Amino acid sequence: MGGGRVTRPDFGLGQPDPGHPMTEFYTLLLEGLAGTERFTLPGLYAKFDPPAWPIEAREARDWCSLSPVPREGYTPILAPGHLRVLYSELRCTPAGVPAALVLTQEGSRRSCAVRLLPPFLWPSDEAAPPWPDCTMALTLALGPDAVGQADTDPHALARHLISGQEGKAWASHPKLDRWLEAQAARWQTLWR
């Protein structure tokens, strides 16, 4: 039949732009995950500090502070731990901007989106891309020395990003959602 060429289908997903400054770091992390099976997760501690008026349940997140480490007055939601990685993939926008690295958990097949925060400011005309559809999401802030370390010792940087807790913070988690729902419901009953 036809003489066309066969290509790997990308199902309409954006492919990483090699010219984007964050592509190098996502690729480095993706390659580092190929040699390990565990990704270290931060703890999750939350404090609900509602206003002096009734709020809707969907507004509860606006009145919540999160921390990856224990703090006074914060409720423990999730202890630090590890995610056993079944497989990982880089998700990009149609323009090739890396959105997040999606890690699929072994055993449960839940997914965790990991967004790298650059050691430099985002250009004002480029907003952070939307999160991929995942069960949970966290951010991983690159330190100011990450650019130099990516050149001098990329394997050490990848190991640090995978096994360290520094710079990691939860953006969303099902346990946080349930906790916020309970806090909002309790606050609404006080105003009835």
Side-chain angles (χ1 to χ4, degrees), residues 52-85:
W53 58 83
I55 60 171
E56 296 294 323
R58 68 180 183 280
E59 297 174 305
R61 183 65 187 259
D62 297 337
W63 300 97
C64 180
S65 301
L66 302 179
S67 174
V69 295
R71 296 172 110 181
E72 188 176 335
Y74 281 64
T75 303
I77 305 295
L78 185 68
H82 298 280
L83 180 117
R84 292 184 57 89
V85 180

Side-chain angles (χ1 to χ4, degrees), residues 1-189:
M1 297 261 314
R5 60 189 184 123
V6 177
T7 60
R8 182 175 162 259
D10 61 7
F11 302 104
L13 298 174
Q15 299 302 306
D17 175 9
H20 192 277
M22 291 304 291
T23 299
E24 174 185 7
F25 294 104
Y26 278 103
T27 304
L28 182 86
L29 185 57
L30 192 59
E31 290 170 358
L33 283 166
T36 186
E37 60 184 35
R38 299 177 127 203
F39 183 82
T40 301
L41 300 173
L44 177 58
Y45 303 86
K47 181 178 181 182
F48 184 62
D49 192 16
W53 58 83
I55 60 171
E56 296 294 323
R58 68 180 183 280
E59 297 174 305
R61 183 65 187 259
D62 297 337
W63 300 97
C64 180
S65 301
L66 302 179
S67 174
V69 295
R71 296 172 110 181
E72 188 176 335
Y74 281 64
T75 303
I77 305 295
L78 185 68
H82 298 280
L83 180 117
R84 292 184 57 89
V85 180
L86 178 63
Y87 58 87
S88 56
E89 68 175 309
L90 177 58
R91 298 274 179 90
C92 299
T93 66
V97 176
L101 190 64
V102 176
L103 309 177
T104 302
Q105 185 175 8
E106 185 177 38
S108 70
R109 296 198 181 252
R110 294 187 310 166
S111 57
C112 179
V114 178
R115 171 167 294 157
L116 297 179
L117 300 179
F120 44 81
L121 295 176
W122 283 102
S124 60
D125 60 338
E126 183 180 336
W131 285 98
D133 186 24
C134 289
T135 311
M136 48 196 160
L138 61 92
T139 58
L140 173 51
L142 298 172
D145 59 339
V147 175
Q149 196 173 6
D151 292 333
T152 59
D153 196 355
H155 299 296
L157 177 60
R159 281 192 308 273
H160 174 72
L161 295 176
I162 292 167
S163 62
Q165 288 192 7
E166 184 181 337
K168 293 179 182 175
W170 287 103
S172 68
H173 194 281
K175 288 186 178 182
L176 175 64
D177 295 340
R178 288 191 295 273
W179 183 80
L180 280 172
E181 286 173 14
Q183 298 304 312
R186 193 176 84 215
W187 188 247
Q188 286 177 344
T189 58

